[in-house]
Amino acid sequence: MTTPEEDTTTTRALQGLESGSSSVRLRAVLAVGTTPDPRFVGKLVERCAIEPDFYVRDMLTWALTRHSPTTTVPALVGELRSERAQARSQALHTLSKIGDRRAWPAITRALLTDGDDEVARSAWRAAVVLVPEGEEAQLAGVLATQLGRGGRETQLSLSRALVALGEVITPALRAAMTSRDPRVRQHANATERLLRDPDAGFEFAIEEAKRVAVLGTGGQEG
């Protein structure tokens, strides 16, 4: 049973989450995360979908990780069906931070290939964290269908996700290297380079992939 004083504190925190000031919202989320209360979870998840400030969104994720997964995971999984891209993206990001594999069935192919780059990138990161042992190769096959997609940041996110899965990605990469699309081939080659040499850096791997494309696998610079 809560005391009147606790109820007043709860009310103030909930009101703070609705403030027009990002600094006030940030303080409110910090207070909620410092003193977790399952009554806040619904509001925190709801706020994730609409919060415009990056730092507040990051704090919302932190606050949710402070609550029991039994309460947070079902609420976040429900957001994955939202028509709002930010709701899906933020829910995926938060699920990746919580790391509860009960959320894995909700990481669908539709999310992994979502038309919104930010949602897809969040899905890739979450999938790599949540994938059950033995299902990595299947996940790699789905992720490989996204090779060549988007700009540098999107491609780098996908490469990092694939490399995090380890050697199981090799067959999918080798298949992608035979694609008719030069962007797919280049991205696959760059990802394989990163797998073999994680310290090479993405830019170097891309340039190396371009060189291979021009000279051929066995080509030598003269």
Side-chain angles (χ1 to χ4, degrees), residues 144 147 169-180 184-185 188:
L147 287 164
I169 70 173
T170 300
L173 290 181
R174 294 290 167 82
M177 289 174 192
T178 66
S179 171
R180 294 181 179 180
V184 173
R185 295 198 304 271

Side-chain angles (χ1 to χ4, degrees), residues 3 12 22 31 36 87 111 122 124 134 154 212:
T3 66
R12 286 176 178 169
S22 60
L111 288 168
S122 296
W124 302 336
T154 297
V212 169

Side-chain angles (χ1 to χ4, degrees), residues 58-81:
D58 203 40
M59 189 63 77
L60 284 164
T61 288
W62 170 79
L64 284 164
T65 65
R66 297 270 295 159
H67 290 76
S68 169
T70 303
T71 304
T72 56
V73 170
L76 291 165
V77 165
E79 288 292 279
L80 300 183
R81 297 186 292 272

Side-chain angles (χ1 to χ4, degrees), residues 2-135:
T2 60
T3 66
E5 186 174 317
E6 288 172 332
D7 283 336
T8 299
T9 301
T10 299
T11 300
R12 286 176 178 169
L14 290 173
Q15 290 174 341
L17 291 174
E18 299 288 351
S19 173
S21 167
S22 60
S23 60
V24 172
R25 296 196 304 277
L26 193 64
R27 288 197 297 272
V29 179
L30 177 61
V32 171
T34 301
T35 311
D37 185 326
R39 292 177 297 172
F40 287 117
V41 170
K43 192 64 180 179
L44 291 172
V45 171
E46 178 185 310
R47 189 69 209 176
C48 283
I50 59 175
E51 174 55 52
D53 187 277
F54 170 81
Y55 296 104
V56 179
R57 289 200 304 274
D58 203 40
M59 189 63 77
L60 284 164
T61 288
W62 170 79
L64 284 164
T65 65
R66 297 270 295 159
H67 290 76
S68 169
T70 303
T71 304
T72 56
V73 170
L76 291 165
V77 165
E79 288 292 279
L80 300 183
R81 297 186 292 272
S82 173
E83 293 184 2
R84 188 186 291 268
Q86 182 174 308
R88 301 195 303 278
S89 175
Q90 197 66 22
L92 286 161
H93 173 66
T94 306
L95 286 169
S96 74
K97 295 299 182 182
I98 294 172
D100 191 317
R101 286 185 169 172
R102 287 176 293 182
W104 169 248
I107 311 301
T108 62
R109 187 185 187 98
L111 288 168
L112 293 169
T113 61
D114 197 284
D116 184 282
D117 283 350
E118 193 55 44
V119 174
R121 289 168 61 184
S122 296
W124 302 336
R125 290 191 292 267
V128 168
V129 171
L130 301 174
V131 63
E133 186 175 352
E135 296 190 33

